[in-house]
Structure formats: C-alpha cells, structure tokens
Amino acid sequence: MKKCIAIPVVTLILAMLACSIAWSEEPQEVRIGSFVLLRIRCAAGGYSIAERANAIQMRANNLLRGGKEYGKVTVKKSGKDANIYVDGTFFMTVGPGDARANHTTPMKLANIWAERLRVMLPKSTPDKPGVGRPGQEGAPRNAR
C-alpha cells in the first residue's frame, strides 16, 4: 500500500521540481535601440531563454547597422508557430511557449511584436540622433 502511494508522490515531486527549474530562468529583454522590443520568457527549439534572446538581439542589432529604411515587417504562420520577417528576412519564431507565457496565441503575440518592431525600428535608426534618450520625445517611459 505504501509503495502504491509513494511512487505517484515521488513522481509528482520530480515533475514539480522539473517545472520549477524550467521556470527559474529570468526573462530576457530584446531591445531595438533604447526601446524594449520584447521579453523572451521561455526556452524553445533546444535554446535557453538567454540563447534565444541573444540570437534575436543580434538580429535586431543587425537591422540597425543596416542603416536603411525597412519597409515591411510580416508575420507568417508555420505549423503551431508564427514567424516574423523583416523585408522577407527571418527575424524570429513565436511558439506556443511564448504565447502561453503571455496568455495569448502565437499568431496574436507575433502580430503584437511585429507591430512594436514596425513602430520602434524607424525611431531607432542611426539617422535619428537623440531619439530614445531620456527626457526626449520617443524615449521609453521608464527612462524619463
């Protein structure tokens, strides 16, 4: 009788421990210029939260280095995921884990993040000196 109770209890404890370890990693911000574009809250595709955020941050930095105007930010469904593209070039994948962490669906979240990118990218390009600095128009609210 004790073994019948002990096995499910031990299994439950191990499952809870695994979940707490998975959720213990802190969310990571991805910025475009001085603006917070999004926060990565879950690991995906074999990458940790930090690895995903770093990869997306590098892509965001490359957009700014391009020094050109970006025309089209699009979202395309891909199975259970939604992918964001900038001028046809892959930017990031939004998956079920991201959506769950933000209480929405992958497509809705991808569209929210794509819209933020559409708004923030022109304000963050190098030809806009001063944009995003504390106390100036376009600066993030928490920087004032």
Side-chain angles (χ1 to χ4, degrees), residues 95-142:
D98 299 306
R100 208 171 19 260
N102 288 280
H103 310 288
T104 188
T105 66
M107 273 305 277
K108 287 180 183 176
L109 185 58
N111 280 305
I112 290 167
W113 285 348
E115 182 59 26
R116 291 179 60 81
L117 189 55
R118 283 182 200 106
V119 169
M120 293 175 186
L121 190 56
K123 293 180 179 180
S124 301
T125 54
D127 64 330
K128 308 271 187 190
V131 172
R133 290 189 185 152
Q136 294 185 347
E137 186 176 338
R141 289 185 184 163
N142 61 356

Side-chain angles (χ1 to χ4, degrees), residues 54-143:
N54 287 337
I56 298 164
Q57 185 65 64
M58 286 186 350
R59 291 182 200 122
N61 293 347
N62 287 337
L63 291 176
L64 294 180
R65 279 191 206 114
K68 68 172 192 165
E69 300 241 349
Y70 290 93
K72 199 168 187 182
V73 178
T74 56
V75 176
K76 294 180 184 174
K77 189 163 179 56
S78 176
K80 293 181 180 181
D81 300 332
N83 293 327
I84 301 174
Y85 297 87
V86 178
D87 285 339
T89 302
F90 175 78
F91 183 70
M92 71 173 293
T93 297
V94 180
D98 299 306
R100 208 171 19 260
N102 288 280
H103 310 288
T104 188
T105 66
M107 273 305 277
K108 287 180 183 176
L109 185 58
N111 280 305
I112 290 167
W113 285 348
E115 182 59 26
R116 291 179 60 81
L117 189 55
R118 283 182 200 106
V119 169
M120 293 175 186
L121 190 56
K123 293 180 179 180
S124 301
T125 54
D127 64 330
K128 308 271 187 190
V131 172
R133 290 189 185 152
Q136 294 185 347
E137 186 176 338
R141 289 185 184 163
N142 61 356

Side-chain angles (χ1 to χ4, degrees), residues 11-24:
T11 303
L12 179 63
I13 290 170
L14 290 174
M16 290 171 49
L17 181 60
C19 288
S20 69
I21 289 170
W23 283 98
S24 65

